[in-house]
Each structure stands twice: as C-alpha cells, then as structure tokens.
Amino acid sequence: MKVLFGHKDHLVRMAALFLAGIVVFLVLKAVFVPKGFGVYGHYRAGALEENRAHPVAYAGRAACVECHSDVPETAKGGGHAFIRCEACHGPLAAHAGDPGEHQAVRPESKVLCARCHAPNVARPARFPQVDPAEHAGDEACTACHTAHNPRQQKEGAK
Amino acid sequence: MESILHGVEGYMYPNEMELQWSVLIVLYPFITGLVAGAFILASLERVFRVESVKPTYRLALLTALAFLLVAPLPLQLHLGHPERSLEMYLTPHTASAMAMFGFVYLWYLMAVLVLEIWLDYRRDIVRLAQTATGPLRYLYRAMTLGSYDVSEEALRVDDRAGYVITLIGIPSAFLLHGYVGFIFGSVKANPWWSTPLMPIVFLFSAIVSGIATVMLLYMAATRLRQATIDMRCLDTIARYLFYAFIIDFSLEMLDLVHRIYEADESFHTLDFMVKTRLYLPHIVVQIVLGTLVPLGLLALTQLVNLTERARRGTYALAGVLTLVGIFAMRWNVVIGGQLFSKSFLGYTTYKMAFATREGLLPAVLLMILPFVILWALVRLLPPWTDGREAETAA
C-alpha cells in the first residue's frame, strides 16, 4: 500500500473521509432544499403564491350584513352581538358570492350551542354554561332561544 | 374531553390539560446525561492522567457512544415523521435552540466520540483486521481505512491527536448537556424551568449519572467475565461520584433556596405542587432516596474502613439509587413543569399510557436498547485491558 503522509497517513485518510461526508452533505443540500427557500425568510418563497391561490373561504361579517341586515337588528344588545357570523355558520364565502347557486344551511343548534356553552372548567366561571341534557332534554336550543339574541325567549318557552 | 378533564383541579388553560411532553421527553435528557457523564469520566483519565481509572476508560467511551446513538430516538418517536428530522441539517434554523441541536449532536458524535474511539482502538482494529475470521473481518478492514501503520510513531501520533480531541471533547460534552438544560432553562413562561442555573444543574447531574452508570457497568461486566475487580479503580470512581454528587446537590439546593427566598408570584403554586402531586417523585424519590441516601452511603465508604466486599455492595447500592434519583430529577423537571397552569390557578395529572407510541412500553424498550448496542460494541471492540481480550474477541 502506498504511504504518502508518513505516520500520519491514517489521519489524512480519516480527514478525507470527513471531507467526503461534507461533500455528500452539500450535494444532498443542493438536491433537497426546495427552490426559493430563504428568499424572504425561513420558508419557501413559492409558498406565498400557493397560499394566495387558495380560494377565500370566509366572507366576513360586513358581507353577510349587506343582505341579511335583519340579523344585526335582532342581535343588538344580546350576548351574541359581537360574535362573527361565520363563527357559528362556518365559512360561507361561496354563498355570499352567489346565494342562488350556493345555499347556506341553518346550523344544528344542539351541536353548535354546546360547543360554546357546555360546562368546561377552562372557561371563566362567569361565562354562561349549561349542561345541555339537563337544561334542554331532547329539545333543540332554538326551540326556546332566538339564536341571534339568546336572551330573547321564543313563544312557549317557560 | 371528559377523559382529559378527569384529573384536572382548579383552572387550566385548555392547552395545558393534557401533557404534551411525555415520558419519552424524560428519557431524552436522562440518556444524553449518561453520554456526557460517561465521556467526562473517560476524559478525566486522559487529560488529568488519572491512571487508576484506566480500566474503565474504553468502557466509558463505548457506553457514551451506545447511549448517544439512542439519544435522538425518544425525540423521533415523540415528534413522529423521523424523515423530516433531516431537514434541520438541510435548512438550519439558527434562531432555534432545538433546531441547532442537530449540529451539536452530529459534532459530538462524529468529531468527538467516533474519532476518539477510532484513534484509541486503532491498534486493536489493525490487529483484528489481520486475525479475525468470517464476515467481521471486512468490517475491521473497513475500519482501518486501509492504513495498517501501528508503528511506535504512528501510535504516538494517535495519542497526541486523541489528546487534542479529548480537550475539544470536554467542552463539547458540556455543550451537549448544558444545551439540554438550556432548552428548559430558557422557557421564560415556565417558572419551574426558567432559571439560568438549569444548564449547570443538568450538567452536574449528567456527570453524576454517567459516572454511576460506568461504575455499575464496570462491576457488572467484570462479574460477567468472571474477572477480578480492580478495587483501586472502583474506589477512585466512587470518590469522583461522591465529589460530583456533592456539587450537584449543592447546586440543586442553591436553586431551591433561591426560589424559596425569592418567593415570586409562582411560588405558592409550585410549593403546593411539590407538597402534593410531586411529593413522592420529588421529595421522597429524588431528594431522599435518590440523593441523600446514596450521598450518605458514599460518605460512609470515605469515612469508615469497610472491607472490599462491603464497599462493592455499598457502591452498587449507591450507584443504583443515584440513577433512580437522577431519573426522578429529569421526571420532575419535565413532567412537573407541565402539571401546573401558567395561570397558577390549577393542576393537571400526567396519565402515562402503556403500549402507545409515547407510552411506558416504548420507553422501557428505548432504555434497554443502549445496553444491546453496548453489548455489540463490546464484542466488536473489546475494551478490557487486563489481558483477557484475546478470548473475548474471538
């Protein structure tokens, strides 16, 4: 075997191995790091375009109110007045754009109301909480409460 | 939701009820600690030329390597998607301490441990490459890198290079484990963790656990090989364990006294936690059983003239209790830090699963794995220096 570096030959070989490792690493880096990474920050620049290309899902309260001006009227003064429409109704941008083509559905109140009002220790104690089964039995919450202004009791409520 | 709420007391933020960092995250600092500690013990011999601990030098290095290879596995299991972990090398995130760990780890593994072991074993590797039979022969040949020069001069070169690497290795080992403490100590939102003492406390507890592990492994391995224990070596290691433990204990007490005296707004919450939910793991297991008792036992061996047999027994007991105590310390840091609400108004409970991805079973398996690796390493590169290696190698 040829010895080039005298008694340090094995160290030089080890160094060469490390160097080879670093070269492999640099090649992998060149191959695997996506294009545009780091242009603006620690992410792919192209991701911005991709995100922008996603259709908008939420229309926002202002849009809803343009057509459903009666709802804020009803809600006025109630505990739900400040809750965004789509927090309860879900994303409805398609409906707001073309209500004829995309119908909105009324939320299932037993599921919806419990999401915010079922008892939960993580909520401040003063937040109104009821046990749905105990409080409403089999009835829908909207049988007694007006969804947009729940303090208003519907006819027939006790 | 109901199952999570069970075990919550008082007020918790919703994202605090369930512990995010499981028993696997307890294992991680425990295992890295063993690595750093074992390596520092080995370095003592090398840099300060402590002849008496020489019989454990190589064993300590192999132990460090075996545990280091396992150290990232709990993290991989906890996070899932192991293939993504490579991205921390490809797109390094310099502002994230956790992301930079990949480099600390790689540096320590390759530039320190592997190199030092290779240099130290080169003479044996060359000999084994020439004498071994079967497929292992090719492995040894690959490890020689094609250089069979084991002349006096070459070995002197190795020795010098090894010395330099050890010198670099000590701060690297400090970095490795200081870093783990830093990860916790730098979480300013968590008063149980946030203290600049954390890296130092972690470091010294790492040294303690590493020394205890190597001591126990040395005793167990000698017994398995039916060789005789070098008592001078064992006594010295036990003395180091004692000293390191005293420093570690003082640091932890310093931290405690500081917290009690400072008594900031989190104090009542933490104090209550230590006296209730953490009483058993913190006061009983960590402080009494895992610190005071082994310290007492070790002090006994220093003060009283015990027979060799009695000393061996005492060391073994003290070593095991030490490891239990250090494990409890990791547990109390990681789990304890997640049991109370950042609102200081409530507490939750950690419920460990069994055969799930982050349950008890994988944790136990991960704890066994380094010993399997160590066993293979010891077969491959026998660390014994008492002239019996020829038979074990074959």
PDB file of all heavy atoms in Angstrom, chain A residues 55-84:
ATOM      1  N   PRO A  55     -58.688  29.469  -2.714  1.00  0.00           N
ATOM      2  CA  PRO A  55     -59.894  30.298  -2.721  1.00  0.00           C
ATOM      3  C   PRO A  55     -60.197  30.778  -1.308  1.00  0.00           C
ATOM      4  O   PRO A  55     -59.968  30.064  -0.329  1.00  0.00           O
ATOM      5  CB  PRO A  55     -60.977  29.332  -3.220  1.00  0.00           C
ATOM      6  CG  PRO A  55     -60.426  27.965  -3.018  1.00  0.00           C
ATOM      7  CD  PRO A  55     -58.942  28.076  -3.058  1.00  0.00           C
ATOM      8  N   VAL A  56     -60.706  31.997  -1.217  1.00  0.00           N
ATOM      9  CA  VAL A  56     -61.047  32.543   0.092  1.00  0.00           C
ATOM     10  C   VAL A  56     -62.306  31.829   0.601  1.00  0.00           C
ATOM     11  O   VAL A  56     -63.258  31.631  -0.155  1.00  0.00           O
ATOM     12  CB  VAL A  56     -61.309  34.059  -0.010  1.00  0.00           C
ATOM     13  CG1 VAL A  56     -61.834  34.604   1.313  1.00  0.00           C
ATOM     14  CG2 VAL A  56     -60.027  34.774  -0.394  1.00  0.00           C
ATOM     15  N   ALA A  57     -62.288  31.396   1.864  1.00  0.00           N
ATOM     16  CA  ALA A  57     -63.399  30.608   2.380  1.00  0.00           C
ATOM     17  C   ALA A  57     -64.375  31.462   3.183  1.00  0.00           C
ATOM     18  O   ALA A  57     -65.557  31.167   3.232  1.00  0.00           O
ATOM     19  CB  ALA A  57     -62.875  29.461   3.235  1.00  0.00           C
ATOM     20  N   TYR A  58     -63.876  32.506   3.825  1.00  0.00           N
ATOM     21  CA  TYR A  58     -64.731  33.323   4.699  1.00  0.00           C
ATOM     22  C   TYR A  58     -65.035  34.662   4.037  1.00  0.00           C
ATOM     23  O   TYR A  58     -64.143  35.286   3.436  1.00  0.00           O
ATOM     24  CB  TYR A  58     -64.022  33.576   6.032  1.00  0.00           C
ATOM     25  CG  TYR A  58     -63.924  32.357   6.908  1.00  0.00           C
ATOM     26  CD1 TYR A  58     -62.852  31.486   6.808  1.00  0.00           C
ATOM     27  CD2 TYR A  58     -64.925  32.079   7.829  1.00  0.00           C
ATOM     28  CE1 TYR A  58     -62.767  30.358   7.610  1.00  0.00           C
ATOM     29  CE2 TYR A  58     -64.850  30.959   8.637  1.00  0.00           C
ATOM     30  CZ  TYR A  58     -63.771  30.098   8.528  1.00  0.00           C
ATOM     31  OH  TYR A  58     -63.702  28.997   9.323  1.00  0.00           O
ATOM     32  N   ALA A  59     -66.271  35.092   4.162  1.00  0.00           N
ATOM     33  CA  ALA A  59     -66.646  36.356   3.534  1.00  0.00           C
ATOM     34  C   ALA A  59     -66.505  37.531   4.499  1.00  0.00           C
ATOM     35  O   ALA A  59     -66.228  38.648   4.098  1.00  0.00           O
ATOM     36  CB  ALA A  59     -68.079  36.274   3.037  1.00  0.00           C
ATOM     37  N   GLY A  60     -66.711  37.259   5.782  1.00  0.00           N
ATOM     38  CA  GLY A  60     -66.645  38.352   6.762  1.00  0.00           C
ATOM     39  C   GLY A  60     -68.036  38.905   7.035  1.00  0.00           C
ATOM     40  O   GLY A  60     -68.939  38.841   6.195  1.00  0.00           O
ATOM     41  N   ARG A  61     -68.169  39.442   8.228  1.00  0.00           N
ATOM     42  CA  ARG A  61     -69.474  39.910   8.700  1.00  0.00           C
ATOM     43  C   ARG A  61     -70.066  40.998   7.819  1.00  0.00           C
ATOM     44  O   ARG A  61     -71.268  40.991   7.511  1.00  0.00           O
ATOM     45  CB  ARG A  61     -69.283  40.422  10.133  1.00  0.00           C
ATOM     46  CG  ARG A  61     -70.541  40.882  10.794  1.00  0.00           C
ATOM     47  CD  ARG A  61     -70.205  41.444  12.170  1.00  0.00           C
ATOM     48  NE  ARG A  61     -71.107  42.552  12.465  1.00  0.00           N
ATOM     49  CZ  ARG A  61     -72.185  42.434  13.228  1.00  0.00           C
ATOM     50  NH1 ARG A  61     -72.477  41.308  13.772  1.00  0.00           N
ATOM     51  NH2 ARG A  61     -72.969  43.460  13.447  1.00  0.00           N
ATOM     52  N   ALA A  62     -69.198  41.905   7.390  1.00  0.00           N
ATOM     53  CA  ALA A  62     -69.691  43.036   6.596  1.00  0.00           C
ATOM     54  C   ALA A  62     -70.451  42.539   5.368  1.00  0.00           C
ATOM     55  O   ALA A  62     -71.512  43.081   5.019  1.00  0.00           O
ATOM     56  CB  ALA A  62     -68.519  43.931   6.183  1.00  0.00           C
ATOM     57  N   ALA A  63     -69.919  41.490   4.722  1.00  0.00           N
ATOM     58  CA  ALA A  63     -70.565  40.957   3.523  1.00  0.00           C
ATOM     59  C   ALA A  63     -71.927  40.365   3.866  1.00  0.00           C
ATOM     60  O   ALA A  63     -72.922  40.656   3.191  1.00  0.00           O
ATOM     61  CB  ALA A  63     -69.668  39.903   2.876  1.00  0.00           C
ATOM     62  N   CYS A  64     -72.003  39.581   4.943  1.00  0.00           N
ATOM     63  CA  CYS A  64     -73.264  38.924   5.324  1.00  0.00           C
ATOM     64  C   CYS A  64     -74.349  39.972   5.561  1.00  0.00           C
ATOM     65  O   CYS A  64     -75.501  39.819   5.128  1.00  0.00           O
ATOM     66  CB  CYS A  64     -73.117  38.102   6.605  1.00  0.00           C
ATOM     67  SG  CYS A  64     -71.725  36.976   6.642  1.00  0.00           S
ATOM     68  N   VAL A  65     -73.949  41.023   6.281  1.00  0.00           N
ATOM     69  CA  VAL A  65     -74.921  42.010   6.730  1.00  0.00           C
ATOM     70  C   VAL A  65     -75.520  42.777   5.557  1.00  0.00           C
ATOM     71  O   VAL A  65     -76.663  43.246   5.624  1.00  0.00           O
ATOM     72  CB  VAL A  65     -74.248  42.948   7.765  1.00  0.00           C
ATOM     73  CG1 VAL A  65     -75.122  44.134   8.073  1.00  0.00           C
ATOM     74  CG2 VAL A  65     -73.930  42.168   9.024  1.00  0.00           C
ATOM     75  N   GLU A  66     -74.784  42.862   4.460  1.00  0.00           N
ATOM     76  CA  GLU A  66     -75.309  43.556   3.284  1.00  0.00           C
ATOM     77  C   GLU A  66     -76.657  42.984   2.864  1.00  0.00           C
ATOM     78  O   GLU A  66     -77.563  43.720   2.484  1.00  0.00           O
ATOM     79  CB  GLU A  66     -74.319  43.431   2.127  1.00  0.00           C
ATOM     80  CG  GLU A  66     -73.520  44.717   1.911  1.00  0.00           C
ATOM     81  CD  GLU A  66     -72.436  44.519   0.888  1.00  0.00           C
ATOM     82  OE1 GLU A  66     -72.758  43.971  -0.194  1.00  0.00           O
ATOM     83  OE2 GLU A  66     -71.277  44.883   1.180  1.00  0.00           O
ATOM     84  N   CYS A  67     -76.783  41.685   2.888  1.00  0.00           N
ATOM     85  CA  CYS A  67     -78.052  41.069   2.500  1.00  0.00           C
ATOM     86  C   CYS A  67     -78.930  40.751   3.702  1.00  0.00           C
ATOM     87  O   CYS A  67     -80.149  40.848   3.640  1.00  0.00           O
ATOM     88  CB  CYS A  67     -77.821  39.806   1.700  1.00  0.00           C
ATOM     89  SG  CYS A  67     -76.909  40.105   0.183  1.00  0.00           S
ATOM     90  N   HIS A  68     -78.302  40.314   4.809  1.00  0.00           N
ATOM     91  CA  HIS A  68     -79.092  39.900   5.981  1.00  0.00           C
ATOM     92  C   HIS A  68     -79.095  41.001   7.022  1.00  0.00           C
ATOM     93  O   HIS A  68     -78.697  40.782   8.170  1.00  0.00           O
ATOM     94  CB  HIS A  68     -78.520  38.610   6.590  1.00  0.00           C
ATOM     95  CG  HIS A  68     -78.543  37.450   5.661  1.00  0.00           C
ATOM     96  ND1 HIS A  68     -79.695  36.823   5.275  1.00  0.00           N
ATOM     97  CD2 HIS A  68     -77.537  36.800   5.019  1.00  0.00           C
ATOM     98  CE1 HIS A  68     -79.415  35.821   4.453  1.00  0.00           C
ATOM     99  NE2 HIS A  68     -78.094  35.801   4.272  1.00  0.00           N
ATOM    100  N   SER A  69     -79.583  42.166   6.632  1.00  0.00           N
ATOM    101  CA  SER A  69     -79.490  43.305   7.559  1.00  0.00           C
ATOM    102  C   SER A  69     -80.381  43.111   8.776  1.00  0.00           C
ATOM    103  O   SER A  69     -80.205  43.770   9.797  1.00  0.00           O
ATOM    104  CB  SER A  69     -79.849  44.597   6.823  1.00  0.00           C
ATOM    105  OG  SER A  69     -81.104  44.409   6.191  1.00  0.00           O
ATOM    106  N   ASP A  70     -81.323  42.176   8.690  1.00  0.00           N
ATOM    107  CA  ASP A  70     -82.208  41.959   9.837  1.00  0.00           C
ATOM    108  C   ASP A  70     -81.488  41.292  11.010  1.00  0.00           C
ATOM    109  O   ASP A  70     -81.856  41.495  12.158  1.00  0.00           O
ATOM    110  CB  ASP A  70     -83.398  41.089   9.417  1.00  0.00           C
ATOM    111  CG  ASP A  70     -82.949  39.768   8.825  1.00  0.00           C
ATOM    112  OD1 ASP A  70     -81.965  39.780   8.032  1.00  0.00           O
ATOM    113  OD2 ASP A  70     -83.535  38.716   9.162  1.00  0.00           O
ATOM    114  N   VAL A  71     -80.459  40.513  10.710  1.00  0.00           N
ATOM    115  CA  VAL A  71     -79.805  39.755  11.793  1.00  0.00           C
ATOM    116  C   VAL A  71     -79.141  40.675  12.820  1.00  0.00           C
ATOM    117  O   VAL A  71     -79.390  40.527  14.026  1.00  0.00           O
ATOM    118  CB  VAL A  71     -78.805  38.726  11.233  1.00  0.00           C
ATOM    119  CG1 VAL A  71     -78.093  37.989  12.357  1.00  0.00           C
ATOM    120  CG2 VAL A  71     -79.533  37.741  10.324  1.00  0.00           C
ATOM    121  N   PRO A  72     -78.360  41.680  12.409  1.00  0.00           N
ATOM    122  CA  PRO A  72     -77.783  42.566  13.427  1.00  0.00           C
ATOM    123  C   PRO A  72     -78.862  43.286  14.223  1.00  0.00           C
ATOM    124  O   PRO A  72     -78.673  43.557  15.417  1.00  0.00           O
ATOM    125  CB  PRO A  72     -76.953  43.558  12.615  1.00  0.00           C
ATOM    126  CG  PRO A  72     -76.762  42.956  11.271  1.00  0.00           C
ATOM    127  CD  PRO A  72     -77.848  41.962  11.058  1.00  0.00           C
ATOM    128  N   GLU A  73     -79.973  43.566  13.565  1.00  0.00           N
ATOM    129  CA  GLU A  73     -81.087  44.188  14.285  1.00  0.00           C
ATOM    130  C   GLU A  73     -81.522  43.302  15.437  1.00  0.00           C
ATOM    131  O   GLU A  73     -81.661  43.744  16.571  1.00  0.00           O
ATOM    132  CB  GLU A  73     -82.292  44.364  13.336  1.00  0.00           C
ATOM    133  CG  GLU A  73     -82.212  45.575  12.425  1.00  0.00           C
ATOM    134  CD  GLU A  73     -81.971  46.860  13.211  1.00  0.00           C
ATOM    135  OE1 GLU A  73     -82.658  47.076  14.230  1.00  0.00           O
ATOM    136  OE2 GLU A  73     -81.068  47.629  12.804  1.00  0.00           O
ATOM    137  N   THR A  74     -81.736  42.020  15.115  1.00  0.00           N
ATOM    138  CA  THR A  74     -82.167  41.065  16.132  1.00  0.00           C
ATOM    139  C   THR A  74     -81.113  40.934  17.221  1.00  0.00           C
ATOM    140  O   THR A  74     -81.420  40.868  18.409  1.00  0.00           O
ATOM    141  CB  THR A  74     -82.351  39.666  15.504  1.00  0.00           C
ATOM    142  OG1 THR A  74     -83.041  39.819  14.280  1.00  0.00           O
ATOM    143  CG2 THR A  74     -83.097  38.744  16.441  1.00  0.00           C
ATOM    144  N   ALA A  75     -79.846  40.883  16.794  1.00  0.00           N
ATOM    145  CA  ALA A  75     -78.761  40.558  17.725  1.00  0.00           C
ATOM    146  C   ALA A  75     -78.471  41.701  18.679  1.00  0.00           C
ATOM    147  O   ALA A  75     -77.905  41.485  19.754  1.00  0.00           O
ATOM    148  CB  ALA A  75     -77.492  40.196  16.944  1.00  0.00           C
ATOM    149  N   LYS A  76     -78.830  42.889  18.294  1.00  0.00           N
ATOM    150  CA  LYS A  76     -78.442  44.071  19.055  1.00  0.00           C
ATOM    151  C   LYS A  76     -78.696  43.916  20.553  1.00  0.00           C
ATOM    152  O   LYS A  76     -79.783  43.524  20.961  1.00  0.00           O
ATOM    153  CB  LYS A  76     -79.236  45.264  18.523  1.00  0.00           C
ATOM    154  CG  LYS A  76     -78.498  46.580  18.708  1.00  0.00           C
ATOM    155  CD  LYS A  76     -79.406  47.682  18.231  1.00  0.00           C
ATOM    156  CE  LYS A  76     -78.755  48.741  17.389  1.00  0.00           C
ATOM    157  NZ  LYS A  76     -79.776  49.392  16.545  1.00  0.00           N
ATOM    158  N   GLY A  77     -77.695  44.207  21.338  1.00  0.00           N
ATOM    159  CA  GLY A  77     -77.860  44.184  22.784  1.00  0.00           C
ATOM    160  C   GLY A  77     -77.720  42.811  23.401  1.00  0.00           C
ATOM    161  O   GLY A  77     -77.608  42.678  24.612  1.00  0.00           O
ATOM    162  N   GLY A  78     -77.692  41.754  22.619  1.00  0.00           N
ATOM    163  CA  GLY A  78     -77.592  40.407  23.178  1.00  0.00           C
ATOM    164  C   GLY A  78     -76.146  39.948  23.301  1.00  0.00           C
ATOM    165  O   GLY A  78     -75.221  40.600  22.814  1.00  0.00           O
ATOM    166  N   GLY A  79     -75.984  38.814  23.953  1.00  0.00           N
ATOM    167  CA  GLY A  79     -74.641  38.276  24.183  1.00  0.00           C
ATOM    168  C   GLY A  79     -73.958  37.813  22.910  1.00  0.00           C
ATOM    169  O   GLY A  79     -72.743  37.663  22.871  1.00  0.00           O
ATOM    170  N   HIS A  80     -74.710  37.598  21.853  1.00  0.00           N
ATOM    171  CA  HIS A  80     -74.098  37.099  20.623  1.00  0.00           C
ATOM    172  C   HIS A  80     -73.806  38.196  19.606  1.00  0.00           C
ATOM    173  O   HIS A  80     -73.336  37.907  18.516  1.00  0.00           O
ATOM    174  CB  HIS A  80     -75.018  36.050  19.969  1.00  0.00           C
ATOM    175  CG  HIS A  80     -75.051  34.758  20.715  1.00  0.00           C
ATOM    176  ND1 HIS A  80     -75.897  33.730  20.369  1.00  0.00           N
ATOM    177  CD2 HIS A  80     -74.340  34.300  21.778  1.00  0.00           C
ATOM    178  CE1 HIS A  80     -75.712  32.718  21.191  1.00  0.00           C
ATOM    179  NE2 HIS A  80     -74.775  33.042  22.061  1.00  0.00           N
ATOM    180  N   ALA A  81     -74.089  39.438  19.982  1.00  0.00           N
ATOM    181  CA  ALA A  81     -73.990  40.519  19.005  1.00  0.00           C
ATOM    182  C   ALA A  81     -72.577  40.663  18.439  1.00  0.00           C
ATOM    183  O   ALA A  81     -72.407  41.059  17.292  1.00  0.00           O
ATOM    184  CB  ALA A  81     -74.434  41.828  19.639  1.00  0.00           C
ATOM    185  N   PHE A  82     -71.610  40.323  19.256  1.00  0.00           N
ATOM    186  CA  PHE A  82     -70.232  40.556  18.824  1.00  0.00           C
ATOM    187  C   PHE A  82     -69.563  39.310  18.254  1.00  0.00           C
ATOM    188  O   PHE A  82     -68.387  39.335  17.928  1.00  0.00           O
ATOM    189  CB  PHE A  82     -69.412  41.123  19.989  1.00  0.00           C
ATOM    190  CG  PHE A  82     -69.977  42.408  20.492  1.00  0.00           C
ATOM    191  CD1 PHE A  82     -70.743  42.467  21.648  1.00  0.00           C
ATOM    192  CD2 PHE A  82     -69.799  43.580  19.750  1.00  0.00           C
ATOM    193  CE1 PHE A  82     -71.295  43.658  22.091  1.00  0.00           C
ATOM    194  CE2 PHE A  82     -70.338  44.774  20.177  1.00  0.00           C
ATOM    195  CZ  PHE A  82     -71.095  44.828  21.350  1.00  0.00           C
ATOM    196  N   ILE A  83     -70.332  38.241  18.173  1.00  0.00           N
ATOM    197  CA  ILE A  83     -69.734  37.028  17.605  1.00  0.00           C
ATOM    198  C   ILE A  83     -69.863  37.102  16.089  1.00  0.00           C
ATOM    199  O   ILE A  83     -70.916  37.464  15.562  1.00  0.00           O
ATOM    200  CB  ILE A  83     -70.430  35.765  18.150  1.00  0.00           C
ATOM    201  CG1 ILE A  83     -70.354  35.762  19.678  1.00  0.00           C
ATOM    202  CG2 ILE A  83     -69.764  34.517  17.591  1.00  0.00           C
ATOM    203  CD1 ILE A  83     -71.071  34.597  20.304  1.00  0.00           C
ATOM    204  N   ARG A  84     -68.761  36.801  15.414  1.00  0.00           N
ATOM    205  CA  ARG A  84     -68.803  36.863  13.941  1.00  0.00           C
ATOM    206  C   ARG A  84     -69.785  35.824  13.405  1.00  0.00           C
ATOM    207  O   ARG A  84     -69.873  34.708  13.944  1.00  0.00           O
ATOM    208  CB  ARG A  84     -67.417  36.579  13.364  1.00  0.00           C
ATOM    209  CG  ARG A  84     -66.326  37.531  13.827  1.00  0.00           C
ATOM    210  CD  ARG A  84     -66.517  38.901  13.222  1.00  0.00           C
ATOM    211  NE  ARG A  84     -66.987  39.837  14.247  1.00  0.00           N
ATOM    212  CZ  ARG A  84     -67.141  41.143  14.049  1.00  0.00           C
ATOM    213  NH1 ARG A  84     -66.891  41.666  12.864  1.00  0.00           N
ATOM    214  NH2 ARG A  84     -67.559  41.915  15.000  1.00  0.00           N
TER     215      ARG A  84
END
